Amino acid sequence: MTRICLLLLLCLIPSTLLAAPKDEMVAFVPKNHHFGIFLQDADTQLQRIAASPLGKSIIGSMPPKSWVESRDWEALQGIEKFVSQLFGHSFQEIASELLGTGAIVVFRDANESQKEGDGLVLLWVKRPQVVQQWIQKVNAFQGVKVRSEVIQPGFSMMIRETATGKDGYFLVGNILGMSSSLPLLRDSLDTAATPSRQIPKQWIERLGATDAIFGTWLLPRAFDAQIAQQIATARESERATLETLGRYWQGVDAIGLFLRLQPEPELVGTIVGRSEDVPNGGPQFLASFLPAVPLWANRPNDVLLELNSGFRWESIAALADELMPGEAAKKWRDGLQKELAPIFGRQGWSEVLASIGPRWGLRVRSLPDRAIPSICLAIELSGGEQSDAVMNQLMPTLQYLATSLRISYNRTHPDRDQVITRTIRHEKLEIMTFQNEVGFPEGFRPGYALKDGYLVIGESPETIIDFQATRGDTGSRDSEHVLGLFALEAMRNHLKQHRKELPAWLAPAAANPASGESLETVLNDLAGIRQVELGTRVTSQRGELFLRIRPTLSIASPTKPTNPSR
């Protein structure tokens, strides 16, 4: 029966467009499950998108004639005819009258007492009496025996005995539950009847998924026994690291992944936990990785790509010491010293690493008068404007690396195609640049300098001179932090405008078949996407990592559709 109901559910979802799961549905979710899936509020959100410019464009581009004439359409019509004969209702009637305002599916993995995993489907139905008649017709059609079992007063399940085994269902109030696992059905009803056993009623809200159309969550406590067993049986050299990871795991209450459609599409991963119950290294590392103030506060319209993040050597070292205690941590540090000491000195390498951060960023901007965009990489030095001591250690290394690259280039190129170094002074700023009028594209004069406590590397002296970082602690730990931005529409426009001036690998693949897929071809394949953003939101209760997709056409509808009452 479960397979038939799931098939019908899959057929009906496009019409039903299930809406928000209610707290009463969450009350039927047993605590000892491993992960769950929910679908909610799809009717409202998809109606808005259908009425938006993007939705109208998609609907207008669909080939309805070829779809209607396809075999898939014929098969779907056959299923609808069968369902209509069996239940006395069409797909549309079932969608509008029988199925209601949400769906949750939970899964439980196999364990020592249970060889196979099992699942439970929960639906909130509008008309329980009609649904009861529908189920009776299914039972009669299959010729199964049905008997009732009372779990607690007011909470009963129906057991179906078929030729291949047993499955069951319950209908309590507006909640319909179905599963091929009778123990899971009993556990679900017992949980609903015992409030102290239930997961929080505001479960979807706690995950941060109140406005999501679809999502899934993982329940860490269901895996505690397996993790404890792995730690107990681990080799001595691995046990300390696994014990630390186990302490982090104990501080996590839930892990979620969900999809938002409004105001713009977002795929969001979320961790709900308690930072006070985990070791210090992890929270310190995340705090340094996500500085409160981004490197660039303002974002002009000509940005093609932007990265914003943080770096703190002491936080990385503290986390490494937690995860690699004892001899392993010492071996890691000795290896790092072996690589860096020849460059920065036996004592100076750790001071240089400690001085880097907490902010760094990369920004690429389109310039209207040349093909090569503006490229700026900025790395903050913790000494701020008093970073001269750090630079005294960094500068010789940078000069050595730059000289090595220049010599390597010049050695393999003719005399007329040679790189020369030149120092450019602007007010108090000294910029070391590399110039080649023959080999470099027009406007490309890369260089580096120390400016306002930052090591700034740019494709030209003008970019370095124009660099200006955000000052002051104006950010908030509860604010959104964009780690990466990819302006695909701006990239397409830049490539179109400067196609002839750019290197061959950026030109269309047809112009250079040997190069294969070109960047311009890839960007054109993503013509419906204007911008992609990767970022985080951190609150006192949870951390979120999101991937936001901003379409070329708006998904905002001109009017808000009414949501039918349940």
Side-chain angles (χ1 to χ4, degrees):
M1 177 184 177
T2 303
R3 284 193 291 251
I4 291 178
C5 292
L6 284 174
L7 175 61
L8 290 174
L9 178 61
L10 290 173
C11 294
L12 291 169
I13 281 176
S15 306
T16 309
L17 304 179
L18 304 174
K22 306 300 179 182
D23 289 346
E24 59 208 79
M25 290 183 64
V26 177
F28 284 81
V29 176
K31 272 189 174 182
N32 61 349
H33 72 281
H34 288 75
F35 66 95
I37 299 172
F38 67 88
L39 181 67
Q40 63 176 357
D41 198 27
D43 56 346
T44 301
Q45 299 199 50
L46 293 182
Q47 283 178 45
R48 289 174 180 168
I49 292 177
S52 70
L54 176 62
K56 292 178 180 178
S57 174
I58 294 175
I59 295 172
S61 64
M62 294 175 65
K65 184 176 180 181
S66 60
W67 165 247
V68 170
E69 293 176 352
S70 68
R71 292 183 179 180
D72 293 333
W73 180 257
E74 292 178 1
L76 189 60
Q77 285 183 314
I79 296 175
E80 183 173 17
K81 183 178 180 181
F82 169 76
V83 170
S84 298
Q85 292 175 346
L86 179 61
F87 301 121
H89 296 277
S90 66
F91 275 180
Q92 186 63 34
E93 290 171 333
I94 292 175
S96 60
E97 299 295 335
L98 300 184
L99 294 178
T101 61
I104 293 179
V105 184
V106 294
F107 299 91
R108 190 162 58 185
D109 203 0
N111 52 47
E112 294 181 358
S113 60
Q114 182 177 308
K115 295 182 179 180
E116 296 183 358
D118 48 30
L120 169 69
V121 179
L122 296 170
L123 299 175
W124 196 99
V125 298
K126 290 182 179 180
R127 299 191 177 185
Q129 297 82 1
V130 180
V131 172
Q132 183 64 53
Q133 297 173 8
W134 170 40
I135 295 175
Q136 291 172 355
K137 289 182 180 181
V138 173
N139 292 337
F141 175 78
Q142 292 185 316
V144 298
K145 297 180 180 179
V146 182
R147 60 182 176 86
S148 174
E149 178 180 320
V150 177
I151 305 302
Q152 289 198 35
F155 295 86
S156 301
M157 59 182 284
M158 306 301 293
I159 301 175
R160 293 166 19 99
E161 299 181 4
T162 67
T164 58
K166 297 179 181 180
D167 56 40
Y169 65 93
F170 60 77
L171 187 56
V172 178
N174 293 88
I175 308 301
L176 171 64
M178 301 172 288
S179 179
S180 58
S181 169
L182 300 183
L184 187 54
L185 283 171
R186 294 186 183 103
D187 200 5
S188 174
L189 288 171
D190 196 38
T191 299
T194 312
S196 61
R197 295 189 55 193
Q198 298 170 9
I199 63 176
K201 290 184 180 296
Q202 295 79 22
W203 185 243
I204 305 298
E205 179 180 348
R206 192 178 181 198
L207 286 169
T210 305
D211 53 353
I213 186 173
F214 170 83
T216 180
W217 72 78
L218 182 145
L219 206 60
R221 299 290 74 79
F223 296 88
D224 284 351
Q226 299 176 28
I227 292 177
Q229 179 67 20
Q230 290 180 357
I231 294 174
T233 58
R235 292 181 297 181
E236 190 66 31
S237 59
E238 300 175 348
R239 186 168 301 153
T241 298
L242 291 177
E243 286 177 347
T244 301
L245 292 174
R247 291 168 60 195
Y248 278 107
W249 183 258
Q250 289 299 318
V252 178
D253 293 330
I255 300 173
L257 179 68
F258 52 88
L259 174 66
R260 290 193 184 109
L261 294 182
Q262 297 286 349
E264 290 176 301
E266 278 189 355
L267 182 64
V268 182
T270 180
I271 296 179
V272 179
R274 294 157 275 109
S275 59
E276 66 275 10
D277 294 336
V278 300
N280 293 326
Q284 289 177 2
F285 172 75
L286 289 177
S288 67
F289 181 68
L290 305 173
V293 183
L295 183 56
W296 289 287
N298 300 319
R299 184 175 296 125
N301 295 329
D302 57 7
V303 169
L304 302 177
L305 181 149
E306 185 175 294
L307 302 177
N308 270 301
S309 188
F311 178 93
R312 276 292 191 185
W313 162 246
E314 56 266 30
S315 300
I316 297 175
L319 182 61
D321 288 342
E322 284 183 354
L323 297 179
M324 297 184 296
E327 190 63 29
K330 182 179 183 302
K331 185 177 180 181
W332 174 74
R333 286 177 178 269
D334 289 345
L336 198 60
Q337 176 177 307
K338 183 179 179 180
E339 296 294 329
L340 297 179
I343 302 174
F344 299 111
R346 182 169 294 274
Q347 302 297 327
W349 72 272
S350 58
E351 296 177 3
V352 170
L353 287 181
S355 70
I356 296 176
R359 298 187 294 178
W360 70 268
L362 172 68
R363 172 175 278 183
V364 180
R365 296 177 60 182
S366 175
L367 298 175
D369 56 345
R370 73 179 196 208
I372 299 299
S374 166
I375 304 171
C376 182
L377 172 64
I379 303 172
E380 186 176 13
L381 302 175
S382 59
E385 298 184 7
Q386 308 300 322
S387 311
D388 292 344
V390 175
M391 289 305 297
N392 287 335
Q393 293 176 307
L394 277 178
M395 275 303 183
T397 301
L398 292 173
Q399 291 170 356
Y400 170 77
L401 293 174
T403 301
S404 299
L405 291 173
R406 179 176 62 83
I407 293 174
S408 177
Y409 181 93
N410 291 343
R411 186 175 293 164
T412 57
H413 289 76
D415 292 343
R416 64 184 183 86
D417 182 10
Q418 296 287 292
V419 175
I420 62 173
T421 58
R422 188 168 292 170
T423 300
I424 296 178
R425 290 176 172 81
H426 175 78
E427 298 178 351
K428 296 182 179 180
L429 186 64
E430 288 191 1
I431 306 172
M432 176 65 72
T433 66
F434 302 87
Q435 302 180 21
N436 184 338
E437 295 182 358
V438 175
F440 288 175
E442 182 180 356
F444 186 67
R445 294 177 295 156
Y448 62 89
L450 174 65
K451 182 181 181 183
D452 300 333
Y454 286 82
L455 173 62
V456 185
I457 303 173
E459 97 301 339
S460 69
E462 291 76 18
T463 294
I464 298 174
I465 292 171
D466 291 342
F467 168 75
Q468 187 172 0
T470 307
R471 294 181 178 273
D473 190 3
T474 58
S476 168
R477 275 280 159 237
D478 289 347
S479 64
E480 179 177 288
H481 186 96
V482 177
L483 298 173
L485 178 145
F486 308 89
L488 303 186
E489 185 175 49
M491 292 181 187
R492 285 190 293 269
N493 294 336
H494 184 85
L495 290 175
K496 183 178 180 180
Q497 181 180 357
H498 300 285
R499 181 184 290 111
K500 295 181 180 180
E501 308 159 65
L502 289 167
W505 65 273
L506 290 175
N512 185 9
S515 67
E517 193 83 353
S518 70
L519 177 59
E520 186 176 25
T521 304
V522 174
L523 291 174
N524 287 336
D525 290 340
L526 301 174
I529 301 176
R530 176 172 60 88
Q531 187 168 290
V532 177
E533 298 172 9
L534 176 67
T536 63
R537 283 182 290 265
V538 180
T539 70
S540 58
Q541 294 183 336
R542 64 178 176 269
E544 295 182 359
L545 177 67
F546 64 83
L547 179 68
R548 178 185 298 137
I549 299 175
R550 298 184 186 271
T552 305
L553 296 175
S554 173
I555 63 171
S557 57
T559 57
K560 182 178 179 180
T562 57
N563 188 22
S565 62
R566 71 183 195 185

